[in-house]
Amino acid sequence: MKQSNLLAGYSSWLLFLVGTILIIAGGFIYALPPSPLTPFSLALIVLGIVLLFQTSRAFRPNNDVKLILTLIVSSILVIFIDFWPVQGFYSNTTASLLQLMGIGSIQQFNPHFGGVQVVIFVREAVTNRIVGGEIDNGCAGLMALIPCLVLLFLADTNRDLKPDRLIVGILAVCIIVLGNLFRIFVELWAPAVGLLPFELVHYPLAFLLGYFGVTVIAILGQRLLKHEKSQTIK
């Protein structure tokens, strides 16, 4: 399959390595207290995810314009658009799951310019602290889901590939949504029952699950897309 000229000369392993490094660097900055560097960290993560996805045939744009457009559109959507209904879905579902486990939670939906701040807390069993925080675009997995779907949409115009990309897209949505819902639930459930402190289960779990999910999606995109010999790229 033809690939963007910007990346055509680089091996899949190098793209995977550089993407991983950028995701780790962006994740480290994102884990720090909110600061002016937060948008930069999100942009780094989006860039890292796009590069990592280039190891998979399903996510390869066939020209440089599409690749650059993916980076610009994904970064703008993740950084500047507040997808609070998605965040609210995570908060409400997590609160319901916690309630089934006999754990009470505190939810807040605070309107602000540009959207709604979605917050959920529980009481940590060991310390009796109130722990939790805001479910933002990053916590909702949108910094992975948005570039994933944009790449699938822009990667190729060959009609024969659309059913395969649709399957990959549906699987990606399921993996990212269910994975992040599981992560948010565990991040609140574990400290609420005294299993692990919130600080330990929060960002380490978020990074490991997120990185694992993106890698699985890339592999699925490589395996499920039709073989190159059956493709006709014009």
Side-chain angles (χ1 to χ4, degrees), residues 95-158:
S96 297
L97 293 173
L98 290 170
Q99 187 64 39
L100 288 176
M101 304 293 292
I103 301 170
S105 61
I106 303 170
Q107 290 180 276
Q108 295 178 0
F109 294 83
N110 305 316
H112 62 79
F113 178 78
V116 176
Q117 182 192 45
V118 179
V119 184
I120 183 168
F121 299 102
V122 296
R123 187 172 296 278
E124 192 173 57
V126 176
T127 64
N128 207 35
R129 297 180 303 159
I130 298 295
V131 297
E134 180 182 3
I135 301 177
D136 58 13
N137 287 342
C139 296
L142 294 174
M143 55 188 172
L145 182 59
I146 288 176
C148 170
L149 296 181
V150 172
L151 281 171
L152 285 174
F153 180 75
L154 294 178
D156 199 84
T157 57
N158 191 327

Side-chain angles (χ1 to χ4, degrees), residues 1 33 51 57-58 62 64 84 95-96 113 133 139 141 156 158 211 221 227:
M1 174 182 289
L51 290 180
R57 291 178 305 186
N62 55 14
D64 296 336
W84 64 265
S96 297
F113 178 78
C139 296
D156 199 84
N158 191 327
Y211 182 76
H227 295 299

Side-chain angles (χ1 to χ4, degrees), residues 124 129 190-191 195-202:
E124 192 173 57
R129 297 180 303 159
L195 183 63
L196 290 170
F198 178 76
E199 289 77 12
L200 181 61
V201 75
H202 184 31

Side-chain angles (χ1 to χ4, degrees), residues 83-96:
F83 292 90
W84 64 265
V86 178
Q87 302 160 14
F89 163 77
Y90 281 108
S91 180
N92 289 331
T93 306
T94 300
S96 297

Side-chain angles (χ1 to χ4, degrees), residues 47-94:
L47 176 58
I49 288 172
V50 169
L51 290 180
L52 192 149
F53 275 146
Q54 297 312 292
T55 63
S56 177
R57 291 178 305 186
F59 299 97
R60 292 178 187 167
N62 55 14
N63 63 64
D64 296 336
V65 173
K66 289 182 179 180
L67 180 65
I68 294 172
L69 185 61
T70 296
L71 292 171
I72 293 174
V73 170
S74 299
S75 297
I76 290 175
L77 290 176
V78 172
I79 295 172
F80 296 106
I81 305 300
D82 184 14
F83 292 90
W84 64 265
V86 178
Q87 302 160 14
F89 163 77
Y90 281 108
S91 180
N92 289 331
T93 306
T94 300

